[in-house]
């Protein structure tokens, strides 16, 4: 537990001036990651920002205003969303409604798990999802997206005539100018991560995007036409089931999205443990893991109901709390309200849409690498013994199946593939292979 005296404790009210300043600071720390996910999967940054604020407020109510956590867009669902929704040649989702249906299912699974934890405790979950299963899947999430990041950083889409067919086609072509913008973005984010020790170190994604964007403007690869044409105030791009898309649940959607809860629930538990240490509370015990998981799940469900990506608690949130020692839930609520208001500013959202793909690629190189590295860190911190053949087998199979893109196909519309298959196989191997460690850390006594 932390012994550092907080500037504002969890339930302390800041002055009106402090509330506005600190809430803006906190919102911008979450901003870069929250808008990056929809940019990568072809969804609306405005709706992602709006739903992050709504989900955070829902989380606050469910956890009885005891947990100062901000919910933003989940990176673990990038590949599942791409699989469920599909992309066209311009990078827009073909069937974004499919991803929303999958995200609603994820929210329901969170609710079921939270109910089971409420009735039976959380130790069974810890046995089901040990580090030897979760960590390799996290590595798969990061490395599985590495090709996407590099392609975004180096290549641009251009229209080219296919001489054989005489039809114009969209092809990917290397651009040194755009790659330079990606590298500037990448190194700026690295510098803010490594060399800055204040609040800026907690928001390297946002700072990297800002530096990369400024460089892109200087070299002339930013088109401001959408900003000029946008209205000052505009409704986010809502996606309502039964109105904007047909609500049709399929096995493909469920199998692409739902298995990833193996990782996101583990990530949630980790965040609650670390957050509890920072603010000197035991959140596994009070308000309870069942409440925080339910808040996360409800936030994801409501987000998907209106067109937003799945939500998760943010490591950036914990970083800001640790640096500023401002733990007040009022500040978190203020950040959520500001995010909601900002999502209706059409000019601001249009400006975000002008961020070059190369800049997003540059920041993604670091971000996806950090995701993979966090899996390695979990293995190290958990002291997983790779001299044990059982551990070696589980990790090896998960990594190759996940990164290799293995799939079990029953027909064209029913398949378990890639990351989802890797997660399921990892859980099964851990349960059936002999030598499983049945001891579980009792977090309630910590």
């Amino acid at each position: 537990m932390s012994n550092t005296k907080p500037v504002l404790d969890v339930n302390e009210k800041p002055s009106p001036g402090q509330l506005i300043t600190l809430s803006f600071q906190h919102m911008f720390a979450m901003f870069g990651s929250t808008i990056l996910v929809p940019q990568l999967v072809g969804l609306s940054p405005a709706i992602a920002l709006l739903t992050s604020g709504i989900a955070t407020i829902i989380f606050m109510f469910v956890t009885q205003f005891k947990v100062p956590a901000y919910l933003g867009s989940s990176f673990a669902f990038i590949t599942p969303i791409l699989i469920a929704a599909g992309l066209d040649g311009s990078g827009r989702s073909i069937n974004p409604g499919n991803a929303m249906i999958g995200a609603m299912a994820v929210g329901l699974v969170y609710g079921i798990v939270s109910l089971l934890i409420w009735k039976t405790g959380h130790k069974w979950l810890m046995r089901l999802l040990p580090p030897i299963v979760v960590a390799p899947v996290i590595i798969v999430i990061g490395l599985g997206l590495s090709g996407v990041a590099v392609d975004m950083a180096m290549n641009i889409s251009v229209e080219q005539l296919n001489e054989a067919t005489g039809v114009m086609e969209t092809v990917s072509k290397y651009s040194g100018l755009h790659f330079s913008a990606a590298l500037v973005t990448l190194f700026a984010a690295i510098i803010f991560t490594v060399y800055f020790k204040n609040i800026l170190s907690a928001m390297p994604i946002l700072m990297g995007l800002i530096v990369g964007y400024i460089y892109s403007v200087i070299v002339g690869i930013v088109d401001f036409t959408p900003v000029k044409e946008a209205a000052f105030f505009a409704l986010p791009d809502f996606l309502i089931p039964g109105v904007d898309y047909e609500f049709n649940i399929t096995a493909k959607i469920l199998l692409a999205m739902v298995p990833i809860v193996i990782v996101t629930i583990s990530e949630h538990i980790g965040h609650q443990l670390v957050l509890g240490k920072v603010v000197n509370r035991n959140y596994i015990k009070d308000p309870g893991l069942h409440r925080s998981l339910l808040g996360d799940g409800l936030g994801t469900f409501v987000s998907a109901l209106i067109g937003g990506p799945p939500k998760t608690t943010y490591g950036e949130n914990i970083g800001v709390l640790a640096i500023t020692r401002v733990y007040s839930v009022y500040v978190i609520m203020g950040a959520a309200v500001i995010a909601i208001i900002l999502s209706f500013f059409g000019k601001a959202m249009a400006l975000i849409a002008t961020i070059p793909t190369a800049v997003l690629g540059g920041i993604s190189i670091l971000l996806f690498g950090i995701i993979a590295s966090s899996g390695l860190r979990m293995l190290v911190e958990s002291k997983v013994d790779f001299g044990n053949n059982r551990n070696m087998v589980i990790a090896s199979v998960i990594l190759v199946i996940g990164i290799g893109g293995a799939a079990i196909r029953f027909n064209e519309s029913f398949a378990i593939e890639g990351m989802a298959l890797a997660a399921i196989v990892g859980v099964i191997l851990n349960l059936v292979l002999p030598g499983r460690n049945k001891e579980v850390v009792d977090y309630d006594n910590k």
Side-chain angles (χ1 to χ4, degrees):
M1 296 292 188
S2 172
N3 294 318
T4 306
K5 188 177 183 348
V7 174
L8 286 171
D9 209 349
V10 174
N11 295 116
E12 285 189 71
K13 290 183 179 180
S15 67
Q18 283 180 315
L19 178 61
I20 293 172
T21 304
L22 294 174
S23 295
F24 263 105
Q25 174 180 268
H26 206 93
M27 190 277 294
F28 278 117
M30 312 302 126
F31 186 82
S33 298
T34 298
I35 66 165
L36 182 57
V37 172
Q39 290 282 78
L40 295 176
V41 299
L43 296 175
S44 163
I47 200 70
L49 201 58
L50 172 66
T51 52
S52 76
I54 293 173
T56 299
I57 293 172
I58 290 172
F59 182 87
M60 286 290 176
F61 275 97
V62 174
T63 57
Q64 303 172 321
F65 295 91
K66 294 180 178 180
V67 185
Y70 190 96
L71 271 60
S73 307
S74 174
F75 286 89
F77 287 96
I78 292 175
T79 298
I81 289 174
L82 294 176
I83 293 172
L87 292 180
D88 60 21
S90 63
R92 298 297 297 177
S93 295
I94 297 172
N95 295 304
N98 288 350
M100 298 304 106
I101 293 169
M104 288 181 218
V106 166
L108 289 175
V109 171
Y110 266 73
I112 293 169
V113 173
S114 65
L115 179 62
L116 290 173
I117 292 173
W118 179 45
K119 291 295 185 182
T120 65
H122 63 267
K123 291 183 181 180
W124 65 271
L125 184 62
M126 313 308 294
R127 292 192 184 96
L128 189 66
L129 304 176
I132 188 55
V133 172
V134 176
V137 176
I138 293 174
I139 295 171
V140 166
I141 291 173
L143 295 185
L145 290 165
S146 59
V148 174
V150 172
D151 180 68
M152 291 172 64
M154 291 196 312
N155 302 319
I156 59 173
S157 296
V158 296
E159 292 289 328
Q160 183 174 298
L161 180 66
N162 186 322
E163 295 181 359
T165 62
V167 177
M168 295 296 292
E169 295 179 343
T170 301
V171 297
S172 186
K173 186 177 180 181
Y174 175 81
S175 170
L177 182 61
H178 285 75
F179 193 31
S180 71
L183 293 177
V184 168
T185 305
L186 171 61
F187 288 118
I190 291 172
I191 289 169
F192 279 104
T193 301
V194 176
Y195 293 103
F196 283 74
K197 302 300 180 185
N198 53 21
I199 186 66
L200 295 179
S201 68
M203 50 178 87
I205 294 174
L206 177 62
M207 300 313 297
L209 287 173
I210 290 173
V211 172
Y213 189 81
I214 293 172
Y215 174 82
S216 299
V217 172
I218 293 172
V219 299
I221 59 173
V222 177
D223 179 13
F224 287 107
T225 303
V227 181
K228 296 175 183 176
E229 295 176 348
F232 278 98
F233 298 100
L235 286 175
D237 296 328
F238 292 101
L239 286 172
I240 309 299
V243 177
D244 297 301
Y245 60 90
E246 184 180 351
F247 193 86
N248 184 23
I249 301 173
T250 67
K252 178 182 179 181
I253 294 171
L254 297 181
L255 290 172
M257 301 281 287
V258 172
I260 309 307
V261 300
I262 292 171
V263 174
T264 54
I265 287 178
S266 300
E267 179 185 51
H268 177 96
I269 295 170
H271 283 167
Q272 294 306 297
L273 291 171
V274 176
L275 180 60
K277 291 178 182 178
V278 170
V279 304
N280 201 29
R281 303 278 198 293
N282 185 336
Y283 287 133
I284 301 297
K285 187 174 182 180
D286 182 28
L289 183 60
H290 63 288
R291 280 189 174 272
S292 61
L293 267 177
L294 180 60
D296 206 335
L298 279 175
T300 291
F301 185 88
V302 173
S303 171
L305 202 59
I306 59 176
K311 297 294 183 277
T312 184
T313 49
Y314 262 13
E316 289 93 331
N317 173 77
I318 299 171
V320 172
L321 295 179
I323 291 169
T324 63
R325 291 182 290 119
V326 174
Y327 309 149
S328 174
V329 292
Y330 295 96
V331 171
I332 307 295
M333 288 285 285
V337 171
I338 290 171
I340 291 171
I341 294 171
L342 186 60
S343 69
F344 289 90
F345 279 79
K347 292 284 187 187
M349 294 300 104
L351 186 66
I352 291 169
T354 64
I355 299 174
T357 301
V359 171
L360 298 175
I363 205 71
S364 296
I365 290 173
L366 176 63
L367 187 65
F368 297 158
I370 288 175
I371 292 172
S373 297
S374 68
L376 292 173
R377 185 176 66 182
M378 179 182 286
L379 291 173
V380 172
E381 292 179 348
S382 303
K383 298 179 181 178
V384 174
D385 180 16
F386 277 98
N388 183 327
N389 286 338
R390 180 183 189 278
N391 292 336
M392 184 74 77
V393 166
I394 293 173
S396 301
V397 172
I398 290 173
L399 289 172
V400 174
I401 286 178
I403 297 174
I408 297 177
R409 300 189 186 280
F410 301 92
N411 53 52
E412 289 187 8
S413 61
F414 188 81
I416 311 173
E417 54 190 310
M419 189 193 313
L421 180 60
I424 293 170
V425 169
V427 170
I428 293 173
L429 286 176
N430 177 63
L431 292 175
V432 301
L433 291 180
R436 178 161 60 100
N437 183 7
K438 294 181 172 56
E439 291 184 10
V440 178
V441 177
D442 186 0
Y443 295 117
D444 287 341
N445 294 327
K446 284 209 157 194

